[in-house]
Structures are given as C-alpha cells and as structure tokens.
Amino acid sequence: MTTDTDLTALTWNLEPLVYDKGEAGVDELLERADRLADELERFRGRIGELDASALDEMLNLLAELKDVSGRASSFAVLRFSAKTTEEQRGALMQRVQERLTTINTRLTFIELEWADLDDEKVDRLLADDRIDRARHYLRSARRYRPH
C-alpha cells in the first residue's frame, strides 16, 4: 500500500517553474501575463497594418506571454495533481485557470485579425526572415480561415 509519505517522494520539484517562489511566484507570473496582454492590446485593430518588424515585436510579446502563462499553469496543475485532496492547491489551480482564460479572451483578436488578412499580404510577411521562427504558427493559425 502506498502512503502519503511514499507519494511525497514521487512528486515533482516544481519550484523552478516559479523562480523558487512558490505561490508568490505564480502571482508574479500572472501579473507579468497581465502586463504582456496590456502591451499586446495596442496591436488591436492594427494587425493588417503591421510590417515584418512590428509583427516580430508582437510575436515576441506573445511568446513571452505563452511562456509565463505556461509556467504558472503547469505549476498550479501539477501541484494540484500531486495532492488533489488539498483545497489550497485546487483553489490556486482554479484561480490560475480563470485569470489565464480572461487574458486569452482579451487576445482573441490576434488570431481573428491574422486570419482576416489577404493571402498576398500574409505571403509577403511570411517570406521575411524575421518571421522564420513563427512561420509555422502563423500558417497554422490560418488553416481554418474559411470557417
């Protein structure tokens, strides 16, 4: 029979995800995610006007947001998974999920505006070397464009 003590030895060290700050690190990551979303909001209604340099800037902010939100989410979900009976862990996971859902909803415009661009403009942007690392992501974001 496995005991709680046995399971403790099997849990992950999640602290590096949150810079060894535990739940305080999660809060810092969520605050950073909010600030990044604020920065990304300045592109609302303008994605069709972006050149490759500005698109690259937006993509860098988006990549950082994905990293930050992924760290917070992974910490909360994996921590909860290790001990689902602990209410505090469940509450943290719920709080993180709600906050990130709100952030992601605010940024839905990015994919919608990108999908709305004409193919000629997209092809010009995707041909630029500055977009190389994000080319697959950007193409994939347009795959359901007709729908």
Side-chain angles (χ1 to χ4, degrees):
M1 172 176 221
T2 304
T3 65
D4 281 343
T5 304
D6 296 334
L7 291 175
T8 301
L10 298 174
T11 58
W12 306 279
N13 177 12
L14 303 175
E15 291 299 312
L17 288 170
V18 292
Y19 310 110
D20 297 323
K21 296 180 180 180
E23 284 192 42
V26 171
D27 291 333
E28 287 179 20
L29 289 169
L30 292 174
E31 288 301 317
R32 178 70 183 139
D34 272 329
R35 287 191 307 274
L36 288 163
D38 290 343
E39 289 182 56
L40 284 161
E41 291 252 30
R42 70 187 159 100
F43 293 99
R44 182 183 298 276
R46 296 185 41 232
I47 292 180
E49 303 165 8
L50 301 180
D51 61 10
S53 180
L55 181 60
D56 184 53
E57 177 187 352
M58 185 191 77
L59 292 168
N60 285 330
L61 291 170
L62 189 59
E64 185 178 351
L65 174 73
K66 297 295 182 183
D67 176 64
V68 165
S69 61
R71 286 171 173 272
S73 180
S74 293
F75 180 87
V77 170
L78 291 172
R79 189 165 177 261
F80 175 72
S81 297
K83 196 164 191 179
T84 59
T85 57
E86 197 170 293
E87 285 183 28
Q88 180 183 1
R89 292 176 185 221
L92 175 66
M93 183 180 70
Q94 182 68 30
R95 185 168 53 86
V96 168
Q97 288 175 340
E98 288 175 3
R99 189 111 168 245
L100 293 179
T101 297
T102 299
I103 289 169
N104 288 326
T105 300
R106 287 173 53 196
L107 300 176
T108 302
F109 75 90
I110 294 172
E111 288 191 16
L112 294 175
E113 289 184 33
W114 176 252
D116 199 39
L117 293 180
D118 66 71
D119 291 335
E120 186 178 308
K121 167 87 175 178
V122 168
D123 289 342
R124 275 195 318 272
L125 287 167
L126 293 180
D128 194 294
D129 289 340
R130 290 171 285 190
I131 308 302
D132 188 50
R133 65 176 168 64
R135 193 171 287 126
H136 176 75
Y137 165 75
L138 292 170
R139 279 194 181 120
S140 295
R142 289 176 60 83
R143 74 177 168 246
Y144 298 116
R145 184 174 177 224
H147 308 288

